[in-house]
Structures are given as C-alpha cells and as structure tokens.
mmCIF file of all heavy atoms in Angstrom:
data_model
loop_
_atom_site.group_PDB
_atom_site.id
_atom_site.type_symbol
_atom_site.label_atom_id
_atom_site.label_comp_id
_atom_site.label_asym_id
_atom_site.label_seq_id
_atom_site.Cartn_x
_atom_site.Cartn_y
_atom_site.Cartn_z
ATOM 1 N N ILE A 1 -41.445 -19.416 -6.308
ATOM 2 C CA ILE A 1 -40.391 -19.205 -5.320
ATOM 3 C C ILE A 1 -40.914 -18.350 -4.181
ATOM 4 O O ILE A 1 -40.706 -18.660 -3.014
ATOM 5 C CB ILE A 1 -39.178 -18.558 -5.983
ATOM 6 C CG1 ILE A 1 -38.453 -19.535 -6.895
ATOM 7 C CG2 ILE A 1 -38.171 -18.004 -4.902
ATOM 8 C CD1 ILE A 1 -37.411 -18.920 -7.806
ATOM 9 N N GLU A 2 -41.638 -17.268 -4.539
ATOM 10 C CA GLU A 2 -42.161 -16.419 -3.478
ATOM 11 C C GLU A 2 -43.226 -17.118 -2.687
ATOM 12 O O GLU A 2 -43.375 -16.866 -1.476
ATOM 13 C CB GLU A 2 -42.778 -15.144 -4.059
ATOM 14 C CG GLU A 2 -43.063 -14.123 -3.030
ATOM 15 C CD GLU A 2 -43.154 -12.746 -3.577
ATOM 16 O OE1 GLU A 2 -42.408 -12.396 -4.518
ATOM 17 O OE2 GLU A 2 -44.002 -11.995 -3.014
ATOM 18 N N SER A 3 -43.949 -18.082 -3.242
ATOM 19 C CA SER A 3 -44.938 -18.822 -2.468
ATOM 20 C C SER A 3 -44.281 -19.571 -1.317
ATOM 21 O O SER A 3 -44.834 -19.702 -0.233
ATOM 22 C CB SER A 3 -45.620 -19.868 -3.372
ATOM 23 O OG SER A 3 -46.315 -19.222 -4.347
ATOM 24 N N ILE A 4 -43.051 -20.048 -1.522
ATOM 25 C CA ILE A 4 -42.345 -20.717 -0.466
ATOM 26 C C ILE A 4 -42.060 -19.759 0.677
ATOM 27 O O ILE A 4 -42.182 -20.080 1.873
ATOM 28 C CB ILE A 4 -41.022 -21.376 -1.009
ATOM 29 C CG1 ILE A 4 -41.330 -22.438 -2.021
ATOM 30 C CG2 ILE A 4 -40.161 -21.911 0.145
ATOM 31 C CD1 ILE A 4 -40.126 -22.889 -2.840
ATOM 32 N N PHE A 5 -41.706 -18.514 0.336
ATOM 33 C CA PHE A 5 -41.467 -17.498 1.323
ATOM 34 C C PHE A 5 -42.754 -17.135 2.093
ATOM 35 O O PHE A 5 -42.759 -16.909 3.304
ATOM 36 C CB PHE A 5 -40.859 -16.273 0.710
ATOM 37 C CG PHE A 5 -39.415 -16.453 0.337
ATOM 38 C CD1 PHE A 5 -39.083 -16.895 -0.965
ATOM 39 C CD2 PHE A 5 -38.413 -16.283 1.223
ATOM 40 C CE1 PHE A 5 -37.793 -17.091 -1.343
ATOM 41 C CE2 PHE A 5 -37.090 -16.452 0.840
ATOM 42 C CZ PHE A 5 -36.772 -16.873 -0.442
ATOM 43 N N VAL A 6 -43.905 -17.167 1.389
ATOM 44 C CA VAL A 6 -45.175 -16.882 2.032
ATOM 45 C C VAL A 6 -45.499 -18.020 2.991
ATOM 46 O O VAL A 6 -45.853 -17.764 4.190
ATOM 47 C CB VAL A 6 -46.294 -16.714 0.953
ATOM 48 C CG1 VAL A 6 -47.653 -16.688 1.628
ATOM 49 C CG2 VAL A 6 -46.058 -15.437 0.161
ATOM 50 N N VAL A 7 -45.410 -19.253 2.574
ATOM 51 C CA VAL A 7 -45.771 -20.418 3.337
ATOM 52 C C VAL A 7 -44.892 -20.503 4.626
ATOM 53 O O VAL A 7 -45.362 -20.909 5.686
ATOM 54 C CB VAL A 7 -45.701 -21.727 2.521
ATOM 55 C CG1 VAL A 7 -45.812 -22.988 3.375
ATOM 56 C CG2 VAL A 7 -46.811 -21.694 1.466
ATOM 57 N N THR A 8 -43.642 -20.135 4.457
ATOM 58 C CA THR A 8 -42.715 -20.218 5.656
ATOM 59 C C THR A 8 -42.676 -18.912 6.436
ATOM 60 O O THR A 8 -41.806 -18.794 7.273
ATOM 61 C CB THR A 8 -41.304 -20.561 5.127
ATOM 62 O OG1 THR A 8 -40.859 -19.598 4.215
ATOM 63 C CG2 THR A 8 -41.302 -21.967 4.489
ATOM 64 N N ASN A 9 -43.575 -17.998 6.142
ATOM 65 C CA ASN A 9 -43.706 -16.726 6.890
ATOM 66 C C ASN A 9 -42.387 -15.924 6.777
ATOM 67 O O ASN A 9 -42.041 -15.193 7.753
ATOM 68 C CB ASN A 9 -44.085 -16.949 8.332
ATOM 69 C CG ASN A 9 -45.480 -17.520 8.445
ATOM 70 O OD1 ASN A 9 -46.383 -17.008 7.800
ATOM 71 N ND2 ASN A 9 -45.632 -18.532 9.256
ATOM 72 N N ARG A 10 -41.722 -15.964 5.638
ATOM 73 C CA ARG A 10 -40.515 -15.188 5.410
ATOM 74 C C ARG A 10 -40.856 -13.841 4.728
ATOM 75 O O ARG A 10 -40.016 -12.967 4.539
ATOM 76 C CB ARG A 10 -39.514 -15.921 4.573
ATOM 77 C CG ARG A 10 -38.918 -17.099 5.313
ATOM 78 C CD ARG A 10 -37.804 -16.623 6.232
ATOM 79 N NE ARG A 10 -37.873 -17.373 7.497
ATOM 80 C CZ ARG A 10 -37.738 -16.874 8.677
ATOM 81 N NH1 ARG A 10 -37.569 -15.613 8.843
ATOM 82 N NH2 ARG A 10 -37.795 -17.639 9.771
ATOM 83 N N ILE A 11 -42.124 -13.696 4.300
ATOM 84 C CA ILE A 11 -42.537 -12.422 3.689
ATOM 85 C C ILE A 11 -44.025 -12.224 4.120
ATOM 86 O O ILE A 11 -44.779 -13.168 4.246
ATOM 87 C CB ILE A 11 -42.420 -12.443 2.157
ATOM 88 C CG1 ILE A 11 -42.703 -11.085 1.555
ATOM 89 C CG2 ILE A 11 -43.330 -13.507 1.520
ATOM 90 C CD1 ILE A 11 -42.341 -10.928 0.103
ATOM 91 N N SER A 12 -44.370 -10.988 4.352
ATOM 92 C CA SER A 12 -45.710 -10.616 4.612
ATOM 93 C C SER A 12 -46.097 -9.333 3.821
ATOM 94 O O SER A 12 -45.211 -8.594 3.422
ATOM 95 C CB SER A 12 -45.949 -10.376 6.131
ATOM 96 O OG SER A 12 -45.085 -9.329 6.630
ATOM 97 N N PHE A 13 -47.385 -9.169 3.577
ATOM 98 C CA PHE A 13 -47.839 -8.084 2.748
ATOM 99 C C PHE A 13 -48.697 -7.148 3.586
ATOM 100 O O PHE A 13 -49.450 -7.572 4.476
ATOM 101 C CB PHE A 13 -48.652 -8.658 1.604
ATOM 102 C CG PHE A 13 -47.811 -9.638 0.734
ATOM 103 C CD1 PHE A 13 -47.934 -10.984 0.976
ATOM 104 C CD2 PHE A 13 -46.963 -9.166 -0.192
ATOM 105 C CE1 PHE A 13 -47.163 -11.877 0.216
ATOM 106 C CE2 PHE A 13 -46.169 -10.030 -0.920
ATOM 107 C CZ PHE A 13 -46.259 -11.379 -0.766
ATOM 108 N N HIS A 14 -48.563 -5.851 3.265
ATOM 109 C CA HIS A 14 -49.180 -4.779 4.149
ATOM 110 C C HIS A 14 -49.729 -3.633 3.299
ATOM 111 O O HIS A 14 -49.427 -3.520 2.167
ATOM 112 C CB HIS A 14 -48.098 -4.270 5.119
ATOM 113 C CG HIS A 14 -47.449 -5.322 5.887
ATOM 114 N ND1 HIS A 14 -47.921 -5.849 7.030
ATOM 115 C CD2 HIS A 14 -46.222 -5.953 5.651
ATOM 116 C CE1 HIS A 14 -47.080 -6.781 7.484
ATOM 117 N NE2 HIS A 14 -46.081 -6.903 6.683
ATOM 118 N N ASN A 15 -50.501 -2.813 3.999
ATOM 119 C CA ASN A 15 -50.941 -1.538 3.433
ATOM 120 C C ASN A 15 -51.684 -1.686 2.091
ATOM 121 O O ASN A 15 -51.449 -0.841 1.170
ATOM 122 C CB ASN A 15 -49.805 -0.554 3.380
ATOM 123 C CG ASN A 15 -49.236 -0.250 4.748
ATOM 124 O OD1 ASN A 15 -49.995 0.112 5.663
ATOM 125 N ND2 ASN A 15 -47.937 -0.326 4.888
ATOM 126 N N GLY A 16 -52.468 -2.670 1.968
ATOM 127 C CA GLY A 16 -53.284 -2.890 0.749
ATOM 128 C C GLY A 16 -52.628 -3.708 -0.272
ATOM 129 O O GLY A 16 -53.251 -3.976 -1.324
ATOM 130 N N TYR A 17 -51.393 -4.127 -0.116
ATOM 131 C CA TYR A 17 -50.751 -4.959 -1.103
ATOM 132 C C TYR A 17 -50.956 -6.445 -0.684
ATOM 133 O O TYR A 17 -50.915 -6.742 0.488
ATOM 134 C CB TYR A 17 -49.251 -4.689 -1.175
ATOM 135 C CG TYR A 17 -48.581 -5.331 -2.343
ATOM 136 C CD1 TYR A 17 -48.638 -4.695 -3.597
ATOM 137 C CD2 TYR A 17 -47.911 -6.555 -2.243
ATOM 138 C CE1 TYR A 17 -48.048 -5.286 -4.732
ATOM 139 C CE2 TYR A 17 -47.361 -7.107 -3.346
ATOM 140 C CZ TYR A 17 -47.377 -6.453 -4.604
ATOM 141 O OH TYR A 17 -46.821 -7.091 -5.667
ATOM 142 N N HIS A 18 -51.254 -7.290 -1.670
ATOM 143 C CA HIS A 18 -51.547 -8.697 -1.339
ATOM 144 C C HIS A 18 -50.772 -9.607 -2.240
ATOM 145 O O HIS A 18 -50.357 -9.230 -3.374
ATOM 146 C CB HIS A 18 -53.051 -8.956 -1.554
ATOM 147 C CG HIS A 18 -53.903 -8.054 -0.744
ATOM 148 N ND1 HIS A 18 -54.136 -8.279 0.586
ATOM 149 C CD2 HIS A 18 -54.569 -6.943 -1.070
ATOM 150 C CE1 HIS A 18 -54.931 -7.303 1.047
ATOM 151 N NE2 HIS A 18 -55.209 -6.479 0.103
ATOM 152 N N PHE A 19 -50.613 -10.813 -1.861
ATOM 153 C CA PHE A 19 -49.865 -11.818 -2.621
ATOM 154 C C PHE A 19 -50.475 -12.047 -4.032
ATOM 155 O O PHE A 19 -49.717 -12.221 -4.982
ATOM 156 C CB PHE A 19 -49.783 -13.175 -1.868
ATOM 157 C CG PHE A 19 -49.067 -14.263 -2.645
ATOM 158 C CD1 PHE A 19 -47.678 -14.117 -2.840
ATOM 159 C CD2 PHE A 19 -49.731 -15.341 -3.109
ATOM 160 C CE1 PHE A 19 -47.020 -15.103 -3.558
ATOM 161 C CE2 PHE A 19 -49.048 -16.330 -3.785
ATOM 162 C CZ PHE A 19 -47.688 -16.225 -4.035
ATOM 163 N N TRP A 20 -51.738 -11.956 -4.150
ATOM 164 C CA TRP A 20 -52.392 -12.195 -5.450
ATOM 165 C C TRP A 20 -51.970 -11.151 -6.463
ATOM 166 O O TRP A 20 -52.107 -11.350 -7.699
ATOM 167 C CB TRP A 20 -53.936 -12.239 -5.348
ATOM 168 C CG TRP A 20 -54.609 -10.956 -4.944
ATOM 169 C CD1 TRP A 20 -55.014 -10.671 -3.644
ATOM 170 C CD2 TRP A 20 -54.974 -9.859 -5.753
ATOM 171 N NE1 TRP A 20 -55.602 -9.405 -3.653
ATOM 172 C CE2 TRP A 20 -55.579 -8.916 -4.938
ATOM 173 C CE3 TRP A 20 -54.834 -9.565 -7.139
ATOM 174 C CZ2 TRP A 20 -56.082 -7.699 -5.380
ATOM 175 C CZ3 TRP A 20 -55.345 -8.398 -7.588
ATOM 176 C CH2 TRP A 20 -55.897 -7.463 -6.739
ATOM 177 N N MET A 21 -51.342 -10.009 -6.024
ATOM 178 C CA MET A 21 -50.892 -8.973 -6.940
ATOM 179 C C MET A 21 -49.539 -9.281 -7.533
ATOM 180 O O MET A 21 -49.102 -8.671 -8.461
ATOM 181 C CB MET A 21 -50.816 -7.632 -6.154
ATOM 182 C CG MET A 21 -52.170 -7.159 -5.682
ATOM 183 S SD MET A 21 -51.954 -5.692 -4.713
ATOM 184 C CE MET A 21 -53.641 -5.105 -4.549
ATOM 185 N N GLU A 22 -48.865 -10.309 -6.959
ATOM 186 C CA GLU A 22 -47.476 -10.639 -7.461
ATOM 187 C C GLU A 22 -47.353 -11.007 -8.865
ATOM 188 O O GLU A 22 -46.434 -10.539 -9.509
ATOM 189 C CB GLU A 22 -46.904 -11.703 -6.513
ATOM 190 C CG GLU A 22 -46.555 -11.249 -5.120
ATOM 191 C CD GLU A 22 -45.505 -10.152 -5.123
ATOM 192 O OE1 GLU A 22 -45.857 -8.982 -5.222
ATOM 193 O OE2 GLU A 22 -44.324 -10.474 -5.034
ATOM 194 N N PRO A 23 -48.244 -11.779 -9.457
ATOM 195 C CA PRO A 23 -48.098 -12.063 -10.910
ATOM 196 C C PRO A 23 -48.097 -10.767 -11.776
ATOM 197 O O PRO A 23 -47.337 -10.645 -12.698
ATOM 198 C CB PRO A 23 -49.296 -12.936 -11.274
ATOM 199 C CG PRO A 23 -49.664 -13.571 -9.959
ATOM 200 C CD PRO A 23 -49.381 -12.554 -8.879
ATOM 201 N N PHE A 24 -48.899 -9.785 -11.342
ATOM 202 C CA PHE A 24 -48.970 -8.503 -12.078
ATOM 203 C C PHE A 24 -47.648 -7.734 -11.856
ATOM 204 O O PHE A 24 -47.099 -7.166 -12.807
ATOM 205 C CB PHE A 24 -50.166 -7.661 -11.617
ATOM 206 C CG PHE A 24 -51.459 -8.376 -11.837
ATOM 207 C CD1 PHE A 24 -52.145 -8.920 -10.731
ATOM 208 C CD2 PHE A 24 -51.977 -8.503 -13.135
ATOM 209 C CE1 PHE A 24 -53.344 -9.595 -10.942
ATOM 210 C CE2 PHE A 24 -53.190 -9.160 -13.299
ATOM 211 C CZ PHE A 24 -53.881 -9.717 -12.247
ATOM 212 N N PHE A 25 -47.132 -7.758 -10.584
ATOM 213 C CA PHE A 25 -45.904 -7.139 -10.283
ATOM 214 C C PHE A 25 -44.767 -7.736 -11.119
ATOM 215 O O PHE A 25 -43.930 -7.035 -11.737
ATOM 216 C CB PHE A 25 -45.570 -7.181 -8.778
ATOM 217 C CG PHE A 25 -44.234 -6.673 -8.477
ATOM 218 C CD1 PHE A 25 -43.986 -5.322 -8.360
ATOM 219 C CD2 PHE A 25 -43.163 -7.547 -8.294
ATOM 220 C CE1 PHE A 25 -42.693 -4.839 -8.050
ATOM 221 C CE2 PHE A 25 -41.867 -7.074 -7.990
ATOM 222 C CZ PHE A 25 -41.657 -5.723 -7.875
ATOM 223 N N TYR A 26 -44.639 -9.087 -11.140
ATOM 224 C CA TYR A 26 -43.588 -9.726 -11.923
ATOM 225 C C TYR A 26 -43.738 -9.537 -13.384
ATOM 226 O O TYR A 26 -42.732 -9.394 -14.093
ATOM 227 C CB TYR A 26 -43.527 -11.235 -11.550
ATOM 228 C CG TYR A 26 -42.893 -11.465 -10.201
ATOM 229 C CD1 TYR A 26 -43.633 -12.072 -9.195
ATOM 230 C CD2 TYR A 26 -41.564 -11.094 -9.920
ATOM 231 C CE1 TYR A 26 -43.042 -12.286 -7.952
ATOM 232 C CE2 TYR A 26 -40.981 -11.297 -8.720
ATOM 233 C CZ TYR A 26 -41.705 -11.919 -7.752
ATOM 234 O OH TYR A 26 -41.112 -12.103 -6.503
ATOM 235 N N THR A 27 -44.963 -9.452 -13.904
ATOM 236 C CA THR A 27 -45.166 -9.100 -15.302
ATOM 237 C C THR A 27 -44.565 -7.752 -15.605
ATOM 238 O O THR A 27 -43.815 -7.549 -16.605
ATOM 239 C CB THR A 27 -46.663 -9.123 -15.665
ATOM 240 O OG1 THR A 27 -47.197 -10.394 -15.378
ATOM 241 C CG2 THR A 27 -46.888 -8.722 -17.148
ATOM 242 N N LEU A 28 -44.850 -6.781 -14.780
ATOM 243 C CA LEU A 28 -44.311 -5.402 -14.936
ATOM 244 C C LEU A 28 -42.845 -5.453 -14.794
ATOM 245 O O LEU A 28 -42.102 -4.843 -15.594
ATOM 246 C CB LEU A 28 -44.965 -4.518 -13.841
ATOM 247 C CG LEU A 28 -44.740 -3.019 -14.030
ATOM 248 C CD1 LEU A 28 -45.396 -2.523 -15.324
ATOM 249 C CD2 LEU A 28 -45.379 -2.334 -12.830
ATOM 250 N N MET A 29 -42.302 -6.139 -13.756
ATOM 251 C CA MET A 29 -40.841 -6.195 -13.526
ATOM 252 C C MET A 29 -40.099 -6.754 -14.696
ATOM 253 O O MET A 29 -39.133 -6.134 -15.211
ATOM 254 C CB MET A 29 -40.576 -7.005 -12.264
ATOM 255 C CG MET A 29 -39.087 -7.001 -11.912
ATOM 256 S SD MET A 29 -38.777 -8.005 -10.425
ATOM 257 C CE MET A 29 -38.299 -9.572 -11.177
ATOM 258 N N PHE A 30 -40.508 -7.930 -15.226
ATOM 259 C CA PHE A 30 -39.749 -8.524 -16.317
ATOM 260 C C PHE A 30 -39.930 -7.742 -17.601
ATOM 261 O O PHE A 30 -39.008 -7.624 -18.428
ATOM 262 C CB PHE A 30 -40.165 -9.992 -16.487
ATOM 263 C CG PHE A 30 -39.657 -10.894 -15.388
ATOM 264 C CD1 PHE A 30 -40.544 -11.518 -14.541
ATOM 265 C CD2 PHE A 30 -38.273 -11.002 -15.179
ATOM 266 C CE1 PHE A 30 -40.020 -12.339 -13.496
ATOM 267 C CE2 PHE A 30 -37.771 -11.833 -14.171
ATOM 268 C CZ PHE A 30 -38.640 -12.472 -13.351
ATOM 269 N N THR A 31 -41.121 -7.175 -17.822
ATOM 270 C CA THR A 31 -41.304 -6.259 -18.957
ATOM 271 C C THR A 31 -40.379 -5.088 -18.953
ATOM 272 O O THR A 31 -39.740 -4.748 -19.940
ATOM 273 C CB THR A 31 -42.779 -5.828 -19.063
ATOM 274 O OG1 THR A 31 -43.623 -6.968 -19.123
ATOM 275 C CG2 THR A 31 -43.032 -4.908 -20.260
ATOM 276 N N PHE A 32 -40.261 -4.483 -17.747
ATOM 277 C CA PHE A 32 -39.349 -3.305 -17.645
ATOM 278 C C PHE A 32 -37.908 -3.686 -17.740
ATOM 279 O O PHE A 32 -37.088 -2.892 -18.171
ATOM 280 C CB PHE A 32 -39.641 -2.551 -16.346
ATOM 281 C CG PHE A 32 -40.797 -1.553 -16.471
ATOM 282 C CD1 PHE A 32 -41.948 -1.835 -17.208
ATOM 283 C CD2 PHE A 32 -40.773 -0.317 -15.840
ATOM 284 C CE1 PHE A 32 -42.978 -0.945 -17.390
ATOM 285 C CE2 PHE A 32 -41.762 0.566 -15.970
ATOM 286 C CZ PHE A 32 -42.859 0.288 -16.725
ATOM 287 N N ILE A 33 -37.540 -4.869 -17.223
ATOM 288 C CA ILE A 33 -36.173 -5.307 -17.390
ATOM 289 C C ILE A 33 -35.757 -5.380 -18.853
ATOM 290 O O ILE A 33 -34.757 -4.835 -19.273
ATOM 291 C CB ILE A 33 -35.920 -6.673 -16.666
ATOM 292 C CG1 ILE A 33 -35.948 -6.474 -15.141
ATOM 293 C CG2 ILE A 33 -34.585 -7.310 -17.101
ATOM 294 C CD1 ILE A 33 -36.026 -7.786 -14.359
ATOM 295 N N ARG A 34 -36.582 -6.024 -19.635
ATOM 296 C CA ARG A 34 -36.311 -6.138 -21.037
ATOM 297 C C ARG A 34 -36.390 -4.769 -21.757
ATOM 298 O O ARG A 34 -35.547 -4.463 -22.604
ATOM 299 C CB ARG A 34 -37.299 -7.160 -21.702
ATOM 300 C CG ARG A 34 -37.157 -7.316 -23.185
ATOM 301 C CD ARG A 34 -35.785 -7.918 -23.529
ATOM 302 N NE ARG A 34 -35.734 -7.990 -25.009
ATOM 303 C CZ ARG A 34 -34.666 -8.356 -25.687
ATOM 304 N NH1 ARG A 34 -33.577 -8.683 -25.036
ATOM 305 N NH2 ARG A 34 -34.713 -8.420 -26.981
ATOM 306 N N LEU A 35 -37.387 -3.987 -21.388
ATOM 307 C CA LEU A 35 -37.561 -2.701 -22.050
ATOM 308 C C LEU A 35 -36.330 -1.790 -21.680
ATOM 309 O O LEU A 35 -35.864 -1.074 -22.559
ATOM 310 C CB LEU A 35 -38.868 -2.012 -21.550
ATOM 311 C CG LEU A 35 -39.197 -0.713 -22.197
ATOM 312 C CD1 LEU A 35 -39.369 -0.876 -23.708
ATOM 313 C CD2 LEU A 35 -40.479 -0.107 -21.593
ATOM 314 N N HIS A 36 -35.881 -1.866 -20.450
ATOM 315 C CA HIS A 36 -34.665 -1.086 -20.125
ATOM 316 C C HIS A 36 -33.484 -1.481 -20.958
ATOM 317 O O HIS A 36 -32.694 -0.656 -21.400
ATOM 318 C CB HIS A 36 -34.359 -1.188 -18.618
ATOM 319 C CG HIS A 36 -33.215 -0.313 -18.225
ATOM 320 N ND1 HIS A 36 -31.902 -0.700 -18.334
ATOM 321 C CD2 HIS A 36 -33.186 0.936 -17.742
ATOM 322 C CE1 HIS A 36 -31.118 0.271 -17.961
ATOM 323 N NE2 HIS A 36 -31.861 1.307 -17.620
ATOM 324 N N TYR A 37 -33.334 -2.768 -21.113
ATOM 325 C CA TYR A 37 -32.212 -3.246 -21.959
ATOM 326 C C TYR A 37 -32.280 -2.677 -23.369
ATOM 327 O O TYR A 37 -31.291 -2.331 -23.976
ATOM 328 C CB TYR A 37 -32.215 -4.772 -21.956
ATOM 329 C CG TYR A 37 -31.181 -5.395 -22.883
ATOM 330 C CD1 TYR A 37 -29.828 -5.260 -22.641
ATOM 331 C CD2 TYR A 37 -31.579 -6.108 -24.006
ATOM 332 C CE1 TYR A 37 -28.861 -5.790 -23.465
ATOM 333 C CE2 TYR A 37 -30.645 -6.685 -24.860
ATOM 334 C CZ TYR A 37 -29.279 -6.472 -24.584
ATOM 335 O OH TYR A 37 -28.305 -7.031 -25.398
ATOM 336 N N LYS A 38 -33.494 -2.588 -23.908
ATOM 337 C CA LYS A 38 -33.662 -2.130 -25.295
ATOM 338 C C LYS A 38 -33.849 -0.600 -25.401
ATOM 339 O O LYS A 38 -33.329 -0.005 -26.337
ATOM 340 C CB LYS A 38 -34.899 -2.824 -25.938
ATOM 341 C CG LYS A 38 -34.746 -4.333 -26.046
ATOM 342 C CD LYS A 38 -33.578 -4.702 -26.844
ATOM 343 C CE LYS A 38 -33.839 -4.966 -28.272
ATOM 344 N NZ LYS A 38 -32.653 -5.356 -29.040
ATOM 345 N N ARG A 39 -34.560 -0.046 -24.435
ATOM 346 C CA ARG A 39 -34.877 1.426 -24.524
ATOM 347 C C ARG A 39 -34.878 2.029 -23.108
ATOM 348 O O ARG A 39 -35.898 2.302 -22.524
ATOM 349 C CB ARG A 39 -36.240 1.578 -25.150
ATOM 350 C CG ARG A 39 -36.283 0.995 -26.543
ATOM 351 C CD ARG A 39 -37.284 1.485 -27.510
ATOM 352 N NE ARG A 39 -37.412 2.875 -27.566
ATOM 353 C CZ ARG A 39 -38.544 3.454 -27.910
ATOM 354 N NH1 ARG A 39 -39.597 2.802 -28.242
ATOM 355 N NH2 ARG A 39 -38.640 4.803 -27.926
ATOM 356 N N PRO A 40 -33.652 2.275 -22.603
ATOM 357 C CA PRO A 40 -33.526 2.741 -21.230
ATOM 358 C C PRO A 40 -34.234 4.067 -20.911
ATOM 359 O O PRO A 40 -34.909 4.176 -19.856
ATOM 360 C CB PRO A 40 -32.029 2.836 -21.006
ATOM 361 C CG PRO A 40 -31.351 2.655 -22.302
ATOM 362 C CD PRO A 40 -32.385 2.073 -23.237
ATOM 363 N N LEU A 41 -34.135 5.075 -21.785
ATOM 364 C CA LEU A 41 -34.770 6.355 -21.468
ATOM 365 C C LEU A 41 -36.256 6.270 -21.349
ATOM 366 O O LEU A 41 -36.870 6.809 -20.445
ATOM 367 C CB LEU A 41 -34.369 7.382 -22.488
ATOM 368 C CG LEU A 41 -32.933 7.798 -22.498
ATOM 369 C CD1 LEU A 41 -32.599 8.810 -23.600
ATOM 370 C CD2 LEU A 41 -32.488 8.365 -21.151
ATOM 371 N N LEU A 42 -36.890 5.500 -22.228
ATOM 372 C CA LEU A 42 -38.311 5.255 -22.169
ATOM 373 C C LEU A 42 -38.686 4.550 -20.855
ATOM 374 O O LEU A 42 -39.650 4.874 -20.208
ATOM 375 C CB LEU A 42 -38.798 4.424 -23.375
ATOM 376 C CG LEU A 42 -40.229 3.948 -23.343
ATOM 377 C CD1 LEU A 42 -41.176 5.150 -23.355
ATOM 378 C CD2 LEU A 42 -40.556 3.009 -24.531
ATOM 379 N N THR A 43 -37.803 3.593 -20.494
ATOM 380 C CA THR A 43 -38.089 2.849 -19.269
ATOM 381 C C THR A 43 -38.029 3.746 -18.031
ATOM 382 O O THR A 43 -38.805 3.574 -17.084
ATOM 383 C CB THR A 43 -37.096 1.656 -19.136
ATOM 384 O OG1 THR A 43 -37.109 0.906 -20.354
ATOM 385 C CG2 THR A 43 -37.470 0.745 -17.994
ATOM 386 N N TYR A 44 -37.082 4.699 -18.001
ATOM 387 C CA TYR A 44 -36.981 5.605 -16.865
ATOM 388 C C TYR A 44 -38.267 6.454 -16.739
ATOM 389 O O TYR A 44 -38.811 6.604 -15.643
ATOM 390 C CB TYR A 44 -35.792 6.541 -17.044
ATOM 391 C CG TYR A 44 -34.459 5.828 -16.910
ATOM 392 C CD1 TYR A 44 -33.427 6.081 -17.792
ATOM 393 C CD2 TYR A 44 -34.214 4.915 -15.903
ATOM 394 C CE1 TYR A 44 -32.226 5.460 -17.721
ATOM 395 C CE2 TYR A 44 -33.023 4.247 -15.818
ATOM 396 C CZ TYR A 44 -32.006 4.518 -16.733
ATOM 397 O OH TYR A 44 -30.790 3.881 -16.633
#
C-alpha cells in the first residue's frame, strides 16, 4: 500500500530515513500493537 504512495509521490522520506526501512518499521509496529493488547505496561 505504501509503495503506491511512493510511486505517486504522496510520501517522501527524509533525514536518513528510507523506504527500504519500512518492512522493519511495520514489523515493529504490528509487534507492538499485539504486545500492547496483551501487555500494555511492558509496551509503554
């Protein structure tokens, strides 16, 4: 989904952050979503 935004110039990356980092970001994001649901204090 984000690739479509990149191709259509709806998102740009700056200050050392790059599109190739997105799979790592989403891995962290979804892991933390689930972790927060199960263990919110640890997630904070």
Side-chain angles (χ1 to χ4, degrees):
I1 290 169
E2 191 158 325
S3 296
I4 296 168
F5 288 92
V6 170
V7 169
T8 59
N9 294 314
R10 292 279 140 223
I11 188 170
S12 57
F13 302 97
H14 307 276
N15 297 311
Y17 193 84
H18 304 280
F19 179 68
W20 65 263
M21 297 174 170
E22 288 298 89
F24 302 105
F25 174 80
Y26 284 116
T27 300
L28 193 63
M29 183 180 96
F30 289 117
T31 300
F32 275 40
I33 288 169
R34 178 64 181 174
L35 185 61
H36 183 274
Y37 174 65
K38 296 304 264 180
R39 302 204 44 209
L41 293 177
L42 174 62
T43 309
Y44 293 134

